[in-house]
Amino acid sequence: MSLVNFTTREITCKIVYYGPGRSGKTSNLQYIYGRVPEARRGRMVSLATQTDRTLFFDFLPLDLGVISGFTTRFQLYTVPGQVYYNATRKLVLQGADGVVFVGDSQARRLEDNIESLQNLQANLLGQGVDVRNFPLVLQYNKQDLPADLILTQPDMDEALNFRGYRSFPGDALRGAGVFETLKGISELVLKRLAAGGHGPP
Amino acid sequence: MSIRLNPRYRFDAYIVGAANRLAATAARAVAESPGAVYNPLFLYASSGLGKTHLLMAMGHLAMEVNPQLTVEYLTLDEFIEAFHAAIAAGQGEAYRRRYTDVGMLLVDDVQFLTHRREMQTELLRLTNAMLTSGRQIVLSSDRPPAEIEALDDRLIQRFAGGLVIDISAPDYETRVAILRRHAEERKAAFDPSVIEMVAGLPIASIRELIGALNRLVAFQAVNDAPLTSAQAKTVLARTMPASVRGSVPAPVAGTGGGSAPAGVDPAPESVLPDTVIAGDEFGSFLSEISSALARQVEAWRGHVAEAVMRWQGEGYRTARLQLLLEEESPLDPDATLRDFEADIARLQELEIEARELDAPSAGQPLFRDPDRLQEAIGEVEKARDGLSPPPTPAPIWRLEEFVESAGTRMAVRAAQAVIAAPGTQYNPLVLIGGAGVGKTHLLHAIGNALAGPGQLVACLRAEDLVDELIKAIDRNRVPWWRARFRRASVLLIDDVHLLAGKDRSQEELFWLYNVLAQSGRQMVFTSTVAPQALQGMEPRLMTRLEAGLVVELPEPDREVREAIVSRLLRARSGDANAELASYLASRPVENVRALQGLVQRVLAAEDAGEGPLSPGLARQVLEGSPAAPTRRSMGTRTSGLLSPVGSLRSREKMVWDWPGIADRLIEEFR
């Protein structure tokens, strides 16, 4: 996906929320959806199972209006977290300009986080993306849960963030950290714009 | 440092909507990089639309980004009062110095500059000082600069040189967001319909809008119960002007318009219904993204603004760039900037050349305006055309006529190499030898071979070089003289040894040599002695003459002499007359010129009817009687040799028979 189209003066950023199942990716999008004026958001498309698990992906288009002469659109996607949907994840990841890795802060989900992060890196690598230079931030969701159940942000960083990405504590249900995370990844994506970088093919 | 920034006026408390997004974006960009992006930044808006908030928010952010930065905020009234007080106390200069340490100056309400010429001058001086030192100045007003009555044009131009941006009245969504934010700050929970009703009031000023909300906050606090939209309307109707009262919207059914039962808590803040109007979080997100995007997409504005400052500072006209800044989204601003700077580089070259050519246009504003580049090119071309070209080689001397023998072979080969690849192999080529051995012939022959389209061959004697320089000094046209020779593709100087003792000429030749050598242009010199044996020559010039190839032309041997005599005889009668040629070549002469003199004398005798051209006539002329003196007095012959240009070749050549005396005579004559 081309990030900037100078001919049509459009900027389209595709941001993918990635992470293990039930970590709160869809909650992030739902919170954002709830805060965006109706005129600015498209219909949020959610393909969910009967038990509210994401079956295929969520898609939330955001129209940020004309900024500096460019019609700017953000497209937010989530991937299904369950291990057996890897083909779908690869498909959604294609052409992403940035990725938010939503980790589950519960101590018992640490292995799932690690597995999902490894899966993300493998999938990006499979698409020829160098993860070291790719816009990626981490969100440690569910930080509102009792302290004895979760790992703190430094603990999560210690376990997952060996590359030193920006990380944000989050409570996606109530919105804490949701927009901070979105801002964080947006800034990285836009910085790439300045460097003339593009998303993976 | 006198910072009186309201701690509440920060960017995170500044609600951004369509009406103020551009201003907020620019303000944030400026606060993050003071002096580098839009300088000056001029914000204008009607009263109560957030100018002061934005100004102070910039101050806060700039200090967060760079805690070392000195930020000063003041209103124009304070600026005027302080200045008057300083003048009264005789501390005018101290007052001016006060701002030299300020990295970001925020001046509010500059519309009060109207009719204050003295303060306008002071502000202009301050603005210039801030701009030239790369410090940021931000101004706010209730109208654009051009509409401030009796404002100095220079100030208007300065302001227009940065970014002038307006803030219009906020749209409905922004007003709702502002009211919600204010209610939260006041810890007052209102039903969404109440906020929407207030936002719908026909009040343009945010300050007044917040005043209306404050009344509701006070009313609700007294009554200790959440207001309904209808109650709010009633409350406001009591205090609002009639024009506004009539427009207070009716409560909207189904959005909490009904009376809420007393004691019912408002909905928890964290749970927002889907119908909620634009949340602050999104507004803040949008503002920051706009700012980040503008920084990236509009980085060109920063580059262009910097270029405007730089080139204006150097005295160049920057109208083209200023027009570019006014464009909303130009196609390729970086290319425009590149072209502009290329034009300036070209103008700089042209100006140097115009000065060297002593063109009348040199120093004119024309050379400071990239939009008049073509005119500048025309002026320089005109000056170039008016420049008389340097002397060229005499066309009669050709290399093919130069007699090659064992002695001259090396010099001929060197000349051929120079002709084949001028400026690359032997540069300079120095031909040395006694008088009349053919140095001048070879020098001119090289010149003629190199002359061609686009090639300017300068060929002159060292003496003429000196004479021209003296005239140029006399007429104060030395740059013109230099330009005349520095244009040459090839420089040929005959008898360079005659520069001995002429310091100024040597210095000029030294610089000329350097200019030509650096650009790979060929030089050939002739001299009677080798460069290292030259007396009265500066070592720096001597070493340069030695740098290429020094080749000697020996006295002509028998073979050369016979060839020369045969050619002269053939030219006369079509027949070489071998016996005559052999006789003439055997005569004891020191050089080619003397030999040519002998031949001319014999030919003259034939012309005079003394007999047919034969060895006998030659013997009679050369051994029986001296050459007729009348021939010399005619002035068309020199030492027996017809001048190639039909007149005397030179004084030196005439007195060649007395070389020692001649040199001295010439020196004395100068």
Side-chain angles (χ1 to χ4, degrees), chain A residues 77-156:
Chain A
Y77 288 77
T78 66
V79 294
Q82 296 86 328
V83 178
Y84 39 86
Y85 287 129
N86 198 36
T88 309
R89 277 197 294 276
K90 280 183 185 171
L91 202 63
V92 175
L93 206 53
Q94 261 181 20
D97 298 305
V99 169
V100 174
F101 181 83
V102 182
D104 191 329
S105 298
Q106 295 180 84
R108 65 183 178 83
R109 300 291 312 277
L110 184 60
E111 282 305 314
D112 296 338
N113 288 330
I114 293 171
E115 191 183 343
S116 177
L117 193 58
Q118 284 172 342
N119 174 254
L120 167 66
Q121 296 197 10
N123 284 343
L124 283 174
L125 201 64
Q127 294 180 9
V129 175
D130 183 352
V131 285
R132 290 169 301 182
N133 304 319
F134 186 71
L136 192 137
V137 298
L138 306 178
Q139 185 192 75
Y140 305 136
N141 196 20
K142 307 187 187 178
Q143 285 285 317
D144 56 308
L145 291 180
D148 54 344
L149 294 181
I150 59 165
L151 298 175
T152 61
Q153 187 181 3
D155 292 338
M156 293 290 279

Side-chain angles (χ1 to χ4, degrees), chain B residues 409-419 426 429 431 446 549 551:
Chain B
R409 190 156 294 128
M410 188 175 162
V412 173
R413 294 281 181 275
Q416 287 167 338
V418 162
I419 291 164
Y426 306 126
L429 173 65
L431 305 168
I446 292 171
L549 174 68
V551 60

Side-chain angles (χ1 to χ4, degrees), chain B residues 495-525:
Chain B
D495 294 337
V496 74
H497 57 277
L498 294 177
L499 289 181
K502 300 192 174 56
D503 295 344
R504 177 66 192 270
S505 299
Q506 288 182 30
E507 186 182 342
E508 289 295 339
L509 180 59
F510 168 76
W511 293 116
L512 179 58
Y513 180 104
N514 286 347
V515 169
L516 300 184
Q518 278 166 16
S519 51
R521 285 177 277 175
Q522 180 69 48
M523 288 169 280
V524 184
F525 300 94

Side-chain angles (χ1 to χ4, degrees), chain B residues 179-201:
Chain B
L179 291 170
R180 283 181 55 83
R181 169 70 60 86
H182 189 74
E184 279 172 22
E185 280 174 6
R186 301 293 304 266
K187 302 203 184 322
F190 286 104
D191 188 281
S193 64
V194 175
I195 299 284
E196 287 165 23
M197 188 276 294
V198 178
L201 291 173

